[in-house]
Amino acid sequence: MLFRSRWIPILFSLLLLAGGVTLRIADPALIQTLRLGVYDSFQRLKPRVYEPAPVRIIDLDDETLARMGQWPWPRTLVAELVERLTSLGAAVIVFDIVFAEPDRTSPRAVLPLWPDIPEVEALRQAAAKLPSHDEILAQAIAKSRVVTGFVLDRSGAGRTPVLKKSYVFGGEDPLRWATRFTGAVTSLAVLEDAAAGNGSFNMTIDQDGIVRRYNTMVRLGDALYPSLALETLRVVQGGRRSFQIKTAGASGEYAMGASTGITKVKIGSFVIPTDSRGRMWIHFTDAVPERFIPTWKVFEADFPRQAVEGMILLIGTSAAGLKDQRPTPLNAAAAGVEVHAQALEQMILGKFLERPDWAEGAEILYLAGLGLLLITLLPWHGALWCAVLGGGATLGAFGFSWYAYDTLGMLFDPVYPSIFALMVYIILSLVNFLRNEAEKNQVRGAFGRYMSPALVEQLAENPDQL
C-alpha cells in the first residue's frame, strides 16, 4: 500500500510545501484579490483620520452646473475662475480636466457657421483680430501658477505631453519599472506651454476595478512623466527642482539580494515611499465635506479669502453626469479629483501606507517556516495539537497584519499563509489517517486468523505492542 511507507507522507508533504511556495511566488489573480480584500477591510475598520492640509477641491458640482450652465464652459469663464482664485491668493491651481479640443464658442469658431451676409462678414473681419477663448485662458494661466493635466493610454496616438522637468535617479534606471503607455490625450499646446506644471491623471485600477494605488510617475516612450499630485508639489515649491527617484540598490536602499524596483520618490522636502513600479498606496479618509468648495461660491462677492488663500486648489467635478468617478475601498463612486486630493494630502502630511519591498520575501519565509513546522509536528503530536498550532499561527498572522497597518502604516498579507496552513493541516491529517488505517488493516490481515478479535483490535490500535 502507498501509505504504509513512512517516507511517502514526508515526501508528499515536502512537495506540497514546495508547491505552496511556488504558487505564492507566482501570485495569481485570486491570491491578489484576497490580499487586497483584507487591506480594504482594514481601511474600512479604521480609515485615515482627516487632518487639515492646504488642499481644497473647487468642485464643479451639480448645483454649480445648475447655476452657471452645463459643462464644458466657454474658456473665457474658466479664465475668469483662474483669475478669481489667483486674486484670492491661491498657492497653485490644478486642473483635473483635459482641454483637448479648441473652444467651439470662440468667435472664429462660431462665425463660419453663420450665414454669408455683409453684417456677418464685418463681424468675421473684426473677430480675426480678437484672441481665441483658448488664448484668453492661456493668458490667465501664464499669470498664475497653474498645473494642467493629461491622460496616457495604450492607443499609440496623440501628441506627446509637455515635460516641464526631468528626473534624476539613484540605483537602477526606473524606466524599466514605471507603468508604460504608448499614447496620450493632452490639453491644447497653448495651455500646456503657459502652465507652470503638467502632470498625469493616470491612477492604478486593480483587476476588480477599485483604485487603491496612485502612480507617482508614468512612462511614455523613453521619458518619465510625474503624476498630477507630484507635479503640483514641484510647482508649489518654486518649480525649479528635479524629481529624485531611488530604486533598490541605491545608496541607503535595501535590494534584498534582488532587483526589486523603485522604493521612493523625492521632490524638494517631500519624500514618497512607493511600490516597485512607483505607485503609492492611498490611505483613504471617510467623506470630508470641508475638502470641497462649490465653484459657484467662489464667484460670490462675499466669498471669504481665507477659504483658499495659500491653498493648493484642484478644479474638478463631483457631478455624476460628468462621469469622473472612481470606486475606492471606502466609496463606490468617489470623485476622481478627490483621489488626487487625498494623495496630495498624504504627500504633504507624510502619512503613508507602505508595503515594503521586503514584505513578500518575509511572507514567503513565514509560509515556508510554518509549513515545515506543521510537517514536522503533525506525525508526532497528532491533529489536535497541530490544529491548535495552525489556529494560533492564523490568528498571529492576522493580528500582526492589523498591528502593522494600525501602528506602523505597513501592509502585510495574512491571507495566503493562513489558507496554506489550513490546507497543509487538512491534507497531512488525511495522509496520516490513511497511513494509520493501512497499518491497522495490515495487522488485522496478519493476525486475524490466529488471535481473538479483541486482541487483534488492541494490536491494530497500538502496533507498538507487537
Side-chain angles (χ1 to χ4, degrees):
M1 294 279 300
L2 175 64
F3 294 102
R4 288 178 184 172
S5 176
R6 289 185 176 273
W7 64 267
I8 291 293
I10 296 174
L11 178 60
F12 182 81
S13 302
L14 292 175
L15 289 174
L16 176 65
L17 178 59
V21 172
T22 301
L23 184 65
R24 177 60 186 83
I25 293 172
D27 203 22
L30 177 60
I31 293 175
Q32 293 181 38
T33 300
L34 291 172
R35 180 169 62 244
L36 293 173
V38 172
Y39 298 162
D40 292 349
S41 298
F42 287 172
Q43 292 219 47
R44 294 186 193 108
L45 286 170
K46 192 170 183 180
R48 176 170 65 91
V49 176
Y50 177 73
E51 300 177 53
V55 178
R56 294 292 183 271
I57 296 168
I58 305 300
D59 188 13
L60 298 164
D61 61 353
D62 290 313
E63 186 174 359
T64 295
L65 299 182
R67 286 170 175 260
M68 303 184 66
Q70 66 181 10
W71 186 264
W73 289 347
R75 302 278 159 81
T76 49
L77 182 54
V78 179
E80 287 181 39
L81 177 59
V82 171
E83 291 168 349
R84 174 67 169 157
L85 294 174
T86 302
S87 69
L88 291 169
V92 178
I93 299 168
V94 185
F95 279 107
D96 182 32
I97 300 166
V98 177
F99 299 103
E101 298 175 349
D103 187 348
R104 291 177 296 177
T105 66
S106 292
R108 278 177 278 178
V110 172
L111 289 174
L113 304 177
W114 290 14
D116 290 327
I117 57 177
E119 292 82 358
V120 172
E121 182 58 33
L123 288 174
R124 287 173 182 157
Q125 293 177 3
K129 302 175 184 179
L130 298 175
S132 70
H133 291 181
D134 299 308
E135 291 169 335
I136 292 172
L137 176 57
Q139 292 169 7
I141 288 173
K143 295 175 182 177
S144 184
R145 290 203 289 186
V146 173
V147 177
T148 52
F150 55 87
V151 179
L152 298 186
D153 56 32
R154 292 181 172 85
S155 67
R159 181 177 61 82
T160 301
V162 172
L163 180 61
K164 298 289 184 175
K165 203 70 177 179
S166 61
Y167 67 95
V168 295
F169 64 92
E172 298 181 63
D173 191 337
L175 268 176
R176 62 173 290 203
W177 297 100
T179 303
R180 185 173 185 174
F181 297 91
T182 58
V185 179
T186 67
S187 290
L188 298 173
V190 65
L191 302 180
E192 282 192 341
D193 291 340
N198 195 36
S200 163
F201 295 159
N202 294 79
M203 304 172 191
T204 296
I205 301 176
D206 289 315
Q207 56 201 0
D208 57 3
I210 295 177
V211 174
R212 300 178 178 91
R213 285 166 288 186
Y214 187 84
N215 289 305
T216 62
M217 68 195 74
V218 286
R219 177 180 178 179
L220 179 63
D222 290 328
L224 279 183
Y225 288 82
S227 68
L228 193 70
L230 202 66
E231 181 75 337
T232 298
L233 290 183
R234 183 186 69 83
V235 172
V236 83
Q237 294 178 96
R240 294 184 296 275
R241 302 174 185 269
S242 296
F243 303 101
Q244 300 176 37
I245 303 171
K246 281 199 173 185
T247 56
S251 175
E253 301 299 315
Y254 295 102
M256 296 294 287
S259 180
T260 52
I262 300 167
T263 59
K264 63 183 64 170
V265 179
K266 185 174 186 292
I267 179 65
S269 60
F270 300 101
V271 180
I272 301 100
T274 71
D275 68 7
S276 62
R277 298 174 65 184
R279 301 173 301 189
M280 180 189 86
W281 289 88
I282 306 177
H283 196 178
F284 290 96
T285 70
D286 282 324
V288 180
E290 53 262 42
R291 268 198 194 102
F292 293 82
I293 300 173
T295 304
W296 67 267
K297 289 187 176 181
V298 174
F299 288 98
E300 296 291 294
D302 59 350
F303 180 77
R305 179 185 180 91
Q306 63 269 22
V308 296
E309 187 174 17
M311 298 280 185
I312 296 170
L313 304 178
L314 291 91
I315 301 175
T317 180
S318 66
L322 296 183
K323 298 182 179 179
D324 182 24
Q325 296 179 323
R326 302 286 185 270
T328 72
L330 300 186
N331 189 342
V337 66
E338 184 181 3
V339 177
H340 293 295
Q342 294 219 33
L344 259 172
E345 288 172 0
Q346 286 182 245
M347 293 177 181
I348 292 170
L349 297 171
K351 301 293 180 68
F352 298 102
L353 277 181
E354 282 187 76
R355 180 164 166 80
D357 59 342
W358 49 265
E360 184 171 347
E363 290 163 1
I364 291 172
L365 287 175
Y366 176 75
L367 169 66
L370 179 59
L372 286 173
L373 191 61
L374 286 172
I375 289 169
T376 302
L377 295 180
L378 193 59
W380 303 103
H381 295 277
L384 179 59
W385 285 108
C386 287
V388 173
L389 172 64
T394 299
L395 290 175
F398 275 88
F400 173 76
S401 296
W402 173 258
Y403 169 80
Y405 165 79
D406 185 36
T407 305
L408 306 176
M410 292 185 176
L411 296 171
F412 290 93
D413 177 19
V415 177
Y416 188 71
S418 302
I419 293 175
F420 182 74
L422 178 63
M423 289 177 57
V424 168
Y425 172 77
I426 292 173
I427 293 173
L428 290 187
S429 295
L430 178 61
V431 168
N432 281 326
F433 172 77
L434 293 174
R435 183 171 65 82
N436 291 336
E437 287 299 305
E439 289 179 350
K440 291 177 183 180
N441 289 335
Q442 183 181 22
V443 170
R444 292 187 186 103
F447 298 99
R449 297 181 182 179
Y450 312 106
M451 295 177 144
S452 68
L455 185 56
V456 170
E457 285 302 314
Q458 185 177 351
L459 289 174
E461 293 296 331
N462 301 283
D464 293 341
Q465 291 185 7
L466 282 170

